[in-house]
Structures are given as C-alpha cells and as structure tokens.
Amino acid sequence: MTAQRLDLRDPSSFPSRRVEAWKYTDVRRLLRDTPPASPEAEVAPGGPFAALGGEELAFVNGRCEGFPGIVAKGRGEAPMRLRFVSTADGAGHQPEAAIEVTAGSRLVLLESHEGRAAGYVANTRLKISVGEGASLTRIVLGEDAADALAFVRAEVTLSPGATFEQVTATDGARLQRFETHVSHPGQGASVRMDGLYALSGERHADLTSVVTHAGLDGQTSQLVKGVVRDTARGVFQGKIVVERGADGTDARMAHNALILSERGEVDAKPELIIYADDVQCAHGNTVGTLDESALFYMQQRGLPAEEARALLTQAFLFEVVDRIEHDGAREGVREWLTARL
Amino acid sequence: MLSIFNLHVTVGDKPILNGLTLDVPAGEVHAVMGPNGAGKSTLGYALTGRPGYEATAGSASWDGEDLLALDPAERAAKGVFLSFQYPLEIPGVPAMTFIRTALNAQKRARGEAEVSAPDFLKLVRAASTRLKMNFDMLKRPLNVGFSGGEKKRMEILQMVLLEPSLLILDETDSGLDIDALRIVADGVNALRSPERSMLVITHYQRLLDYIRPDRVHVLAAGRIVASGGPELALQLEAEGYDKYAPEALQGAA
C-alpha cells in the first residue's frame, strides 16, 4: 500500500487503477500533470466546527504561516480546529502537518477540508503520533467542491496504552480519498476508526485504512457506513493486519452501505490478514437498498414516501455519529450530516 | 362507512381477491374470517395501498373518499390504520420519534396544528401506562429486538396515539399468549366508538372472544361467501372451513 505515494510534483506518482491499492480510485484518469501551484491566500476564521471554539489553525492553499506543527500537552477540554481550505480554481497544493500528542495528554482534533473554489487538487499529508497513555480524537469532515480532487493521507503511530478515535465524515468530491495508516503496538492501546459517506451527483469518496497490530492485546473497532445516490460511488478499503506474536488482538470491522439509485456504486474490500494464533477478529460487509417492507410500514403510519426514506437513511448513518464520544463533535457532525441528507 | 364493492386485486399477476363486496358502517366491528390463502392479508394490504397489490376492478371507499386513488400515507391521514400481522422493525429510529413523526405528518396532511415534543411526551406517558408498557422501550428503535407480544402492544400504542377512524387488524392475536392477548384486546376495545369502524381479520375465533364483532364474514377464494352475526364465528370454530373450500363452493354454485 505504501509502494505508491501520491506527490503532486511528480506525475509518475499518480496512480492508475492498475495499482491495486488505487483500483477503485483512478487518479491518473483525471490528473496527468502537476497542476499549477495554488497562490497564497487568506480566509477569515470559521469553518464547520467554529461553534465549538478552541484554537484554530488554518492551512489556506496548502500554507499555514509559521506553522510549527501541533504538540498537544495536558488534558485540556478545548478542541483544536485544524482547517485545510482550498480557494484557487484549478490549482494544486499539498500541505503537510505533524501532530504529536505527548504521553498522558489528550487532544480533540477537529479537522476540516473545505472547498472554496472549483477544480482544485489538494493532497494533504499528516504525521500523527500518540504517546503512551495519551488519547487523540480526530474528527475529519470532508466538504470539498464537487469537481475537486482531494486526497488526505494520515500516518498514525500509537504508543502502548494510547487511545485513538477517528471518525471521517464526507460528502465526496470528483475524486476524494481519505487514507489512514495506523501502527498499533497493542499493550493496552485501542483504536476506533469509523467513517461515513453520503454521496450524490457524480461524487466519489474513498475511505481506505490499514491498521497493523504488532503487539499483544491490541483492540481495533471499525464501523463505516455510507449512502450513495445518483451516479455517486463509494469505496471502502479496510485492512487489518495482525502480525506474528500479536496475540490477544481483538479486531472488528464492519462496512454497511445503501445504494439509493439505479446507477450508484459501492466497492468494498475488507481484509483481515492474520499471522498470530490467539486472536479475535471479525469483519462484515453489506451493500443493499432500503427495506421496501419497512418503507411501506412507515407510509402506512402516515409518513410520505420521501420522509420515510429520509428517516431510514438518516437513522442508518446516525449509528456512526452516535459512536462519537465528544459531545460537541458528535452534535456538530450530526448537524453537518443532517444538512446533507 | 367502509364500502368495498366488487374488488379485484392481483399480486404479481395472480388474482387474489375476486369481486369482494363488504360494508362496515361507522361504529361497527366486523370480523373477516377465512382459511389460509383466502386473501385475508391481501384485503388489508389492498385497502392500505401496499405496492404490488394492484386493484384491477371494483372500488373501496372510506367516508366517501376513494381509497384506491390515494397513496399509502394519504390513506393513513384519512384515518386508515392497518395493524400488521408481523410489525416491521425500523432500525435506528426510536419508537417515540417514529410515532411523533407519523402523527405530525398526518396532522400536516390534514392541515391541523402539529403536536409539540413536550405535549407528545405527556400523551405517550399516559398511553403507555394504560397499556402497561415499559416507557424505556419507547426510547429503543421501533420493534427492533422486541418480542412478538411487545410488537403487538406497540401497534396498539400507535393506534391509541394516531387515533385512526378505520382500524384494520390483521391476525392481531398471532404470536400472543393469553395475557398479552387480553391487554391487546382491552386496548382495542377501549378504542371502540360510534365514529370508529373496525375490520378484524382473523383465522381463529379465539380473538373474537375478546373483541366482540357486530358482524362476521367468511372470506374464501377471494370473495365474501357468507355473512352473519357473532354466532357464525362459533359455527366456523366448530365445523371448520371445509364447506367454504373452492370445490364445495363450485358445487354449490
């Protein structure tokens, strides 16, 4: 999966669908050359999580003046809002940021990818480390432009006893991928890596993750749900690797999607690769449509068909939202999603 | 008054109802009994507009309103309620949210004011106490993981809160033990009123010991083939449906 790392400056790195890890998200088909570099720009403070307060760091067109990297110390309640904003039509940028949560600390990171232009290309790369006994909640909102190409790759390294909770919520883009690689040491560390996508029009969203368990007694729980309409396409690639000796690993992965149109598409590739002996691992994957009998039942009680559909769809996706432990973030994502259904 | 005349219904091109005629005046409770496969559930679905149940001839009206011209939600807003033999599970939607959404959708369709959340909570608390239901159950997704008896009780709760004027009960006693049956029947009986009509669809006479009908009809081979008073149900219980089997009916004709 690391063989091909997208770099906007090097067109030979643009993967086509012949690269296994990118077979559902063909970058080369839409991008052949390095896009013109995005200009410097500014945006007013704000973003989708503005109401939750806390410190704001904004990368605009890939730049954040004097950005020192984020080092979280202590166990403060205030979240940190990390914004990636694209404001230049047809231009490209690739911001990089390092985030460290020091041993015993706690951070709630509210990350948003905001499209304020047409046809841009954004390639965001994050290096995240969560120290011993530390905890990171990372909430990622994708609100890119419909015709944008947007890629976010996060490499997450956990120390023993660390807690990492991630939820990605997105409504897609022309081509969009959120990729997360977690190095999981076990030894009391636990990971929750959830996601949801609600796609319409011609949008495409790809949630790809690799969690590698290298130590004893690690936990991973993953729930990804999605809904596609029109000709939209959702992709889920979840891989959990349990290395030799990582006994006592408990890893569960589920992906459930609804296709609400004739021409919507969902591609799912859940993988468990287990080299250890004593593990508890499970994965499930379902792709279906709304239950017609349930819809009739709801209509019989007075709900117009559209309202019944919306209620079932919303309930389907809210299962992921309900798992967010941080109250403000949970309600923020709920509101964001409600506005998109 | 519910007025069904010469109703023909097909399900996937297969004729199920073949000229069913039946009137239920306001305030009356009529039972429709019949053997398996006679078309009992089809009658309930046809009256409520389930997709796939196509009326090919005849008419069905409620209070002068042509039911067959309305979509399912519009029929519900006109007061038609079908209590399902197997109530559906609605994952992720708490029972209380579901019922309030349904009630307000009906009220909107009728041009009435919606019920506020606090007012609705009061209504639900009173109704669930009366039906001896655990209030916490109402916070759970509707019918998900409920027992057969709990699902039926949830149907009764919805009837009480939605206040339909035409109640169609499809095999309401199936899956109920005697205690649950009594609670459900009490709930239905409490809804009897001069403005409300009820159609009780059942295979067995047992339910009619608890919900006393004014009239009993026998449905066989897609038509009403006999009608009478409550004693007809007892006679069916004693003699079975043999004399209404298709061969016997043909012989009689």
Side-chain angles (χ1 to χ4, degrees):
Chain A
M1 192 78 64
T2 50
Q4 188 99 11
R5 197 165 299 187
L6 181 63
D7 182 344
L8 296 187
R9 291 162 304 196
D10 174 13
S12 74
S13 75
F14 301 173
S16 75
R17 64 192 153 85
R18 284 194 296 277
V19 177
E20 178 64 19
W22 291 82
K23 71 173 174 181
Y24 302 119
T25 300
D26 187 342
V27 178
R28 188 161 284 279
R29 191 170 65 85
L30 297 170
L31 188 67
R32 297 195 171 266
D33 301 309
T34 296
S38 302
E40 275 187 41
E42 285 185 14
V43 293
F49 289 119
L52 298 181
E55 190 184 343
E56 172 176 321
L57 280 166
F59 280 78
V60 183
N61 294 342
R63 297 173 187 79
C64 183
E65 204 55 48
F67 179 72
I70 296 172
V71 179
K73 292 180 181 155
R75 305 189 62 82
E77 288 294 318
M80 175 165 291
R81 291 180 291 114
L82 179 58
R83 301 173 63 202
F84 295 92
V85 188
S86 300
T87 69
D89 291 352
H93 48 269
Q94 44 188 13
E96 285 185 33
I99 296 154
E100 182 191 354
V101 186
T102 60
S105 302
R106 175 174 182 270
L107 174 65
V108 174
L109 183 70
L110 305 175
E111 181 182 320
S112 51
H113 297 266
E114 307 167 35
R116 306 278 178 81
Y120 57 84
V121 184
N123 183 36
T124 306
R125 293 169 305 177
L126 301 173
K127 278 209 183 329
I128 297 172
S129 69
V130 186
E132 201 158 331
S135 125
L136 172 63
T137 296
R138 178 183 178 221
I139 310 290
V140 185
L141 270 195
E143 43 180 39
D144 280 300
D147 57 357
L149 309 184
F151 311 97
V152 180
R153 180 189 165 99
E155 286 173 26
V156 182
T157 305
L158 306 181
S159 296
T163 304
F164 178 55
E165 182 196 8
Q166 171 173 303
V167 181
T168 305
T170 184
D171 63 358
R174 179 74 191 91
L175 203 63
Q176 183 194 55
R177 165 135 143 169
F178 289 97
E179 190 174 328
T180 312
H181 297 257
V182 178
S183 147
H184 194 316
Q187 303 163 73
S190 79
V191 168
R192 182 148 84 212
M193 199 151 45
D194 293 352
L196 64 88
Y197 52 90
L199 312 177
S200 57
E202 298 181 331
R203 287 177 180 245
H204 173 118
D206 170 341
L207 300 186
T208 289
S209 60
V210 181
V211 179
T212 305
H213 283 260
L216 293 173
D217 302 327
Q219 275 190 14
T220 293
S221 160
Q222 181 167 32
L223 176 65
V224 175
K225 298 186 99 170
V227 172
V228 299
R229 295 186 170 86
D230 307 322
T231 59
R233 187 181 194 190
V235 176
F236 168 71
Q237 300 188 106
K239 186 192 273 190
I240 296 178
V241 181
V242 183
E243 291 186 343
R244 200 177 309 282
D247 292 325
T249 294
D250 185 323
R252 284 157 212 284
M253 177 201 294
H255 168 253
N256 309 110
L258 292 176
I259 299 180
L260 300 183
S261 60
E262 289 286 312
R263 293 170 62 212
E265 183 177 333
V266 170
D267 298 292
K269 189 175 164 196
E271 286 179 282
L272 290 175
I273 300 173
I274 301 168
Y275 299 108
D277 298 322
D278 176 23
V279 298
Q280 294 221 17
C281 292
H283 66 79
N285 177 49
T286 63
V287 178
T289 56
L290 288 177
D291 178 355
E292 291 297 324
S293 303
L295 277 175
F296 171 65
Y297 181 82
M298 297 171 86
Q299 288 173 262
Q300 205 298 305
R301 298 297 140 91
L303 290 164
E306 275 318 299
E307 204 174 331
R309 254 176 242 284
L311 195 58
L312 278 185
T313 307
Q314 193 179 57
F316 176 81
L317 292 175
F318 276 1
E319 189 189 349
V320 174
V321 180
D322 289 340
R323 282 161 59 103
I324 301 174
E325 281 173 11
H326 187 272
D327 292 340
R330 185 178 57 246
E331 296 319 310
V333 173
R334 197 190 304 281
E335 218 169 274
W336 180 88
L337 179 60
T338 304
R340 276 158 183 78
L341 289 174
Chain B
M1 170 155 115
L2 173 67
S3 189
I4 307 170
F5 180 72
N6 191 34
L7 185 64
H8 288 69
V9 173
T10 59
V11 181
D13 290 338
K14 194 177 168 207
I16 306 288
L17 298 184
N18 301 300
L20 186 143
T21 295
L22 176 67
D23 284 341
V24 183
E28 291 195 6
V29 175
H30 287 209
V32 170
M33 302 183 70
N36 292 325
K40 297 194 301 294
S41 287
T42 297
L43 175 59
Y45 289 144
L47 292 175
T48 49
R50 182 169 192 149
Y53 291 72
E54 199 192 343
T56 53
S59 64
S61 68
W62 168 241
D63 271 348
E65 192 85 45
D66 177 10
L67 287 179
L68 303 180
L70 303 175
D71 76 28
E74 291 168 335
R75 299 185 203 197
K78 297 287 181 199
V80 180
F81 184 103
L82 171 66
S83 172
F84 284 55
Q85 181 176 6
Y86 304 107
L88 275 295
E89 299 187 354
I90 309 295
V93 184
M96 206 142 61
T97 307
F98 176 79
I99 305 173
R100 193 179 76 231
T101 309
L103 177 62
N104 282 333
Q106 288 197 19
K107 285 185 174 288
R108 263 198 316 278
R110 293 194 291 259
E112 297 168 8
E114 296 187 20
V115 178
S116 71
D119 286 348
F120 182 76
L121 192 63
K122 279 181 216 150
L123 292 174
V124 175
R125 277 194 188 281
S128 60
T129 306
R130 220 160 51 232
L131 293 168
K132 302 184 175 61
M133 290 172 70
N134 181 352
F135 188 71
D136 285 337
M137 212 166 85
L138 289 156
K139 297 175 186 162
R140 285 164 48 194
L142 181 66
N143 293 335
V144 177
F146 290 12
S147 70
E150 286 171 333
K151 288 180 181 173
K152 290 296 165 77
R153 229 176 279 191
M154 194 56 83
E155 294 287 278
I156 306 298
L157 178 74
Q158 293 179 59
M159 284 177 211
V160 168
L161 292 166
L162 296 174
E163 299 185 299
S165 49
L166 172 62
L167 263 175
I168 304 165
L169 307 176
D170 185 8
E171 307 281 5
T172 286
D173 55 332
S174 71
L176 294 187
D177 64 31
I178 206 73
D179 291 326
L181 177 58
R182 197 166 282 140
I183 290 167
V184 165
D186 286 349
V188 172
N189 286 327
L191 289 170
R192 291 179 84 140
S193 88
E195 299 83 38
R196 189 171 276 135
S197 301
M198 297 191 193
L199 197 57
V200 181
I201 297 171
T202 181
H203 183 89
Y204 298 106
Q205 190 268 340
R206 179 178 83 145
L207 178 64
L208 304 181
D209 287 340
Y210 297 89
I211 303 172
R212 307 287 301 175
D214 298 299
R215 299 277 293 166
V216 174
H217 309 274
V218 180
L219 173 60
R223 287 184 296 133
I224 300 296
V225 294
S227 297
E231 71 288 348
L232 181 54
L234 296 169
Q235 189 190 330
L236 286 168
E237 182 77 359
E239 298 173 4
Y241 290 108
D242 284 354
K243 74 178 195 189
Y244 301 110
E247 316 80 67
L249 289 172
Q250 256 163 21

